[in-house]
Amino acid sequence: MTSTSAPLSLSADDARRIALRAQGFLGAPDRRAGVRGVLRHLGSVQLDTISVLARSHELIPYARLGAVGRGTVEDAYWTEGHAFEYWSHAACILPVEEWPLFAFRRRAYRDRPHWGHELADGAYEQVIKQLRAEGPLTATELGGAKNKGEWWDWSDSKIAVERALMYGEVVCTERRSWKRVYDLAERAVPDRLLHDDLTDAECLRRLVRQSGEALGVGTRADIADYHRLKSEQFDAVVEDSGLVPVEVEGWSKPAWADPAALATPPRGRHRTTLLSPFDSLIWERARTERIFGFTHRLEAYVPKPKRVYGYFAMPLLSGGRLLGRVDPAREGSTLVARHASLDTVKAVEPMAKALVEAAGWVGCTQVRVERVTPAELKAPLTAAVAALTA
């Protein structure tokens, strides 16, 4: 890093390493803090319905800490009141300490004039009454999640409890068989945090600061996107956020950095791992291309004939670079690399290592490589995997 007059100038490599360290991929992982430490550090872990190797919220700590038991991951999120689910970057697990920071969003939902679902008379009051009497419940236990129509045809109780969730009267305290478990916020959120006292400006200021710390360095769009803030919300508070303006080599737009990230050079060991497509390191496609020169696109919702890389292609991170991706699957005790796309022959050994490690984590004893691009790297990759599993 070059100390010059403000704004500070960073090389592209400086920015890349700062981002990697901020996201937990450079330097020794904090194993003592574990999964809860990862969640607090990132500030937000995205949930998604897709499960290939594992669900995305499991893959996030795995990518940073290694083979943490999957039961340990779930317990870290959902026991002892350490976290809740709410709307951040998307549906996300959030540290319970962030409850006050989303008061601005709860207020906005309460003031929202239009909804996609009509709320039946008395339904809202009924779910609150039932939760108060019976304790945490799923939508099914509240009376059923859906009517008999299409999948989006929610029941009255589901509409009501989701409304209460958005308002902040109800909180999602865990996922049980992928169903949200709802409880009253007054019971689930610690008293010291159960308030909407912060002004909108203060909520936004703290969220912008938290996003900047989690990213290390980012543009306005990068930082605002982390918790899905509007650009004008970012603009209103960034000067008071504590983030400092920087110029990054090759970046065409202004950027801001966490001052703590600038205080020491980012050094340490790089993690070799497969990333969930929903990992916050690669949430924002333009940022991923800018920092890593890597185009990332989830193709799960792309028609199969039009997919280039695969249904759930997971980028390969190694040596602080994104070197390729693999579309995995599980067949019994075998992890199948349906399509491994490697940017260079130097990606062969890291990909083999990442596949074997991931297989062990999910309880697979074998790895089978099917298709590789470019095709001439299939034999070397297959051989490298065999050597690691021999």
Side-chain angles (χ1 to χ4, degrees):
M1 278 169 257
T2 306
S3 291
T4 60
S5 58
L8 184 69
S9 294
L10 302 177
S11 71
D13 273 349
D14 288 336
R16 180 179 54 82
R17 286 192 292 265
I18 286 171
L20 287 164
R21 182 174 64 180
Q23 281 284 300
F25 290 109
L26 177 60
D30 187 351
R31 300 193 186 281
R32 178 171 293 183
V35 176
R36 288 174 180 167
V38 169
L39 176 62
R40 287 193 300 272
H41 185 74
L42 297 179
S44 184
V45 168
Q46 186 173 343
L47 291 154
D48 193 79
T49 58
I50 298 173
S51 181
V52 177
L53 293 182
R55 293 200 188 273
S56 186
H57 66 284
E58 299 173 273
L59 292 166
I60 304 307
Y62 163 72
R64 291 156 176 82
L65 301 174
V68 182
R70 295 174 67 185
T72 300
V73 172
E74 294 293 339
D75 288 346
Y77 287 141
W78 300 127
T79 61
E80 300 176 348
H82 283 271
F84 69 104
E85 179 186 337
Y86 199 60
W87 297 104
S88 166
H89 182 81
C92 290
I93 303 171
L94 303 165
V96 72
E97 291 81 9
E98 290 184 16
W99 176 269
L101 307 190
F102 285 86
F104 84 101
R105 190 157 283 165
R106 293 191 289 270
R107 284 190 287 263
Y109 284 140
R110 292 175 204 142
D111 294 339
R112 186 173 172 178
H114 301 294
W115 293 87
H117 297 90
E118 292 296 324
L119 184 61
D121 290 344
Y124 190 97
E125 292 75 14
Q126 175 57 33
V127 297
I128 299 300
K129 179 180 178 181
Q130 193 172 348
L131 288 170
R132 181 162 283 119
E134 300 180 32
L137 298 169
T138 65
T140 300
E141 293 164 339
L142 281 165
K146 299 173 186 175
N147 292 321
K148 295 181 180 179
E150 303 293 343
W151 66 267
W152 60 84
D153 186 18
W154 283 358
S155 68
D156 290 342
S157 58
K158 173 68 171 176
I159 294 169
V161 77
E162 286 292 325
R163 189 80 58 92
L165 177 75
M166 297 171 89
Y167 288 174
E169 192 167 359
V170 160
V171 61
C172 176
T173 56
E174 66 173 302
R175 291 273 185 146
R176 188 186 303 154
S177 300
W178 200 242
K179 295 178 180 178
R180 280 178 173 160
V181 178
Y182 305 93
D183 197 5
L184 298 179
E186 65 194 47
R187 207 157 44 203
V189 179
D191 289 344
R192 74 184 191 282
L193 300 171
L194 186 63
H195 62 79
D196 283 358
D197 296 347
L198 300 183
T199 64
D200 284 11
E202 182 62 11
C203 291
L204 295 168
R205 185 190 71 79
R206 294 194 194 187
L207 285 173
V208 165
R209 176 61 183 252
Q210 188 278 321
S211 302
E213 291 172 348
L215 292 172
V217 59
T219 65
R220 172 205 209 196
D222 297 342
I223 297 169
D225 181 69
Y226 204 80
H227 290 295
R228 292 282 162 86
L229 306 180
K230 297 176 182 177
S231 296
E232 57 267 28
Q233 291 174 320
F234 172 88
D235 293 341
V237 300
V238 65
E239 287 189 9
D240 298 323
S241 69
L243 303 180
V244 297
V246 293
E247 292 180 350
V248 181
E249 174 193 11
W251 293 21
S252 61
K253 295 181 179 178
W256 288 261
D258 171 21
L262 301 175
T264 57
R267 297 188 183 121
R269 186 182 217 174
H270 286 286
R271 178 107 171 95
T272 293
T273 191
L274 299 177
L275 298 175
S276 162
F278 302 106
D279 196 296
S280 50
L281 180 70
I282 52 173
W283 262 345
E284 226 267 326
R285 189 187 304 178
R287 173 180 172 84
T288 303
E289 292 179 357
R290 188 186 333 119
I291 292 179
F292 296 104
F294 186 89
T295 301
H296 165 62
R297 181 187 183 192
L298 176 68
E299 296 183 330
Y301 307 110
V302 174
K304 189 173 182 179
K306 295 184 178 181
R307 291 176 192 155
V308 177
Y309 300 109
Y311 174 78
F312 195 73
M314 300 178 68
L316 169 67
L317 177 69
S318 184
R321 308 280 182 178
L322 296 176
L323 301 180
R325 66 205 95 199
V326 63
D327 185 33
R330 292 174 65 183
E331 294 180 3
S333 61
T334 300
L335 186 155
V336 182
R338 292 189 293 193
H339 183 196
S341 305
L342 307 178
D343 291 351
T344 169
V345 68
K346 292 181 180 179
V348 168
E349 292 295 333
M351 179 62 83
K353 177 184 176 184
L355 286 169
V356 171
E357 184 181 88
W361 178 55
V362 297
C364 290
T365 57
Q366 297 180 350
V367 177
R368 185 175 79 245
V369 177
E370 291 188 342
R371 179 183 166 205
V372 178
T373 302
E376 59 267 24
L377 295 183
K378 180 176 181 179
L381 179 58
T382 302
V385 166
L388 289 171
T389 55

